[in-house]
Amino acid sequence: MSRQKPIRKAVFPVAGLGTRFLPATKAIPKEMLPVIDRPLIQYAVDEAREAGIEQLIFVTGRGKTAIVEHFDMAFELETTMKERDKALKVLEPTRIQPGNLVAVRQQVPLGLGHAVWCARAIVGDEPFAIFLPDELMIGEPGCMKQMVEAYEQVGGNIISVLEVPEDEVSSYGVIAPGKREGALTEVKGLVEKPKRAEAPSNLIISGRYILQPEVMRVLESQEKGAGGEIQLTDAMAQMIGQQPFHAVTFAGRRFDCGSKTGFIEATLALALERPDLADDVRAIARRLLAE
Ligand code: G1P
């Protein structure tokens, strides 16, 4: 048994406007765009449930209700499918126990830190996870499960990190690394979207967090940072030295589905691994590349 309080809740900040994928995301949340046949949000929710998380907290905004609908029971659909003898198994990942899905609204887009803070009443006084669904993490076990395993050893706060080429660091939160032991690195400092020359490393925060509830109090009075937004990274930086803070280097693959090329890469990579699609997709890719 671990000495740490278990991670039972996860916050999914999904209020963003998704302007990079317009016009596709005019009436559909970007988190509902499918990689093959699962919407992006589903991959994050599956990863959360694999890690033992029970309660999902969506921080949504206007026009984002499709995400909540997706995880609701679709009575008419299920009845019709049953009548037609169609298997309901495909809907299994979308089933969330009543009470285990909560949606709160972020009324103004003030940044990721503010979005997380909007969930404070539901998170309450326990450690919790955060998932940024744009970051598609594929691994066995999944990224959050790897982080929970690390958390059971060291407690405190844990973020997932990965290395990127130096010219990309200014798009992300970057860590100043301390001692390293296996996949675990001590976090000595954190900066959000630094200039390339000022970045303390090329290890970036890759959209998965396990945080102690005290971060909510820090966020309460957090001033605006990079891009004029209330940054989660700045609030986390203030917790270093107060509580243990570690980074886990994820053993697996990450696709940046916030970008079009990342999205295409994810679709292709995952299709090439699907037994029902791989042969056809490989043949198509070969033909297209030969043209
Ligand atoms: C957010 C975080 C950043 C993190 C990134 C991962 O940035 O603020 O620290 O590295 O997600 O995708 P955003 O992509 O919202 O600008």
Side-chain angles (χ1 to χ4, degrees):
M1 274 292 285
S2 158
R3 290 175 292 118
Q4 319 297 343
K5 271 195 184 174
I7 310 299
R8 301 184 308 130
K9 301 183 179 187
V11 176
F12 299 79
V14 290
L17 293 175
T19 49
R20 276 198 269 178
F21 281 89
L22 281 171
T25 48
K26 187 178 171 194
I28 295 174
K30 68 171 173 182
E31 296 80 7
M32 289 304 295
L33 297 177
V35 174
I36 310 181
D37 48 13
R38 275 201 286 173
L40 256 188
I41 186 71
Q42 182 82 62
Y43 289 87
V45 165
D46 292 350
E47 185 190 325
R49 300 215 293 177
E50 182 207 17
I53 283 156
E54 293 159 15
Q55 191 175 54
L56 316 175
I57 307 164
F58 293 132
V59 182
T60 68
R62 285 170 61 79
K64 291 288 188 139
T65 35
I67 299 175
V68 178
E69 295 275 328
H70 179 75
F71 293 101
D72 194 6
M73 165 141 183
F75 184 77
E76 300 87 338
L77 177 65
E78 296 202 5
T79 313
T80 312
M81 283 173 73
K82 266 186 218 145
E83 277 168 12
R84 295 183 188 162
D85 275 336
K86 288 210 177 9
L88 293 178
K89 200 170 181 317
V90 70
L91 293 176
E92 247 163 45
T94 68
R95 286 181 210 282
I96 307 293
Q97 290 290 315
N100 277 347
L101 189 155
V102 180
V104 297
R105 291 266 190 159
Q106 183 188 25
Q107 292 173 324
V108 269
L110 294 179
L112 177 61
H114 176 257
V116 170
W117 179 77
C118 290
R120 67 198 177 287
I122 321 293
V123 166
D125 195 26
E126 55 181 290
F128 64 104
I130 304 171
F131 290 76
L132 308 188
D134 274 2
E135 299 280 352
L136 177 52
M137 309 294 261
I138 302 290
E140 278 178 29
C143 184
M144 185 53 69
K145 189 155 188 201
Q146 293 180 22
M147 292 169 70
V148 166
E149 281 163 9
Y151 168 78
E152 283 168 355
Q153 307 297 320
V154 294
N157 302 279
I158 312 255
I159 51 181
S160 69
V161 293
L162 49 88
E163 270 184 59
V164 296
E166 263 157 38
D167 58 348
E168 290 177 20
V169 286
S170 55
S171 304
Y172 299 99
V174 181
I175 73 162
K179 245 192 358 222
R180 192 171 172 163
E181 232 186 283
L184 215 56
T185 305
E186 215 182 318
V187 177
K188 295 261 192 200
L190 284 165
V191 349
E192 181 67 17
K193 306 199 170 68
K195 290 200 184 98
R196 182 179 173 171
E198 288 158 19
S201 73
N202 66 339
L203 284 170
I204 62 134
I205 308 173
S206 65
R208 299 292 184 274
Y209 311 74
I210 292 176
L211 297 179
Q212 295 299 317
E214 286 78 18
V215 73
M216 293 296 190
R217 285 201 276 285
V218 182
L219 282 168
E220 182 101 39
S221 53
Q222 186 60 54
E223 312 229 314
K224 288 181 178 166
E229 297 191 339
I230 298 173
Q231 295 291 354
L232 180 61
T233 304
D234 296 343
M236 294 191 303
Q238 293 192 48
M239 311 225 326
I240 298 170
Q242 319 271 332
Q243 296 180 342
F245 217 120
H246 292 90
V248 168
T249 304
F250 171 51
R253 281 171 307 159
R254 166 253 188 180
F255 301 99
D256 172 14
C257 289
S259 85
K260 287 172 204 172
T261 45
F263 210 98
I264 294 165
E265 184 189 358
T267 304
L268 252 183
L270 299 190
L272 287 169
E273 285 164 18
R274 281 260 301 244
D276 58 333
L277 299 173
D279 289 349
D280 288 349
V281 174
R282 183 163 288 109
I284 291 167
R286 283 214 177 98
R287 195 186 70 224
L288 289 174
L289 289 172
E291 270 169 13

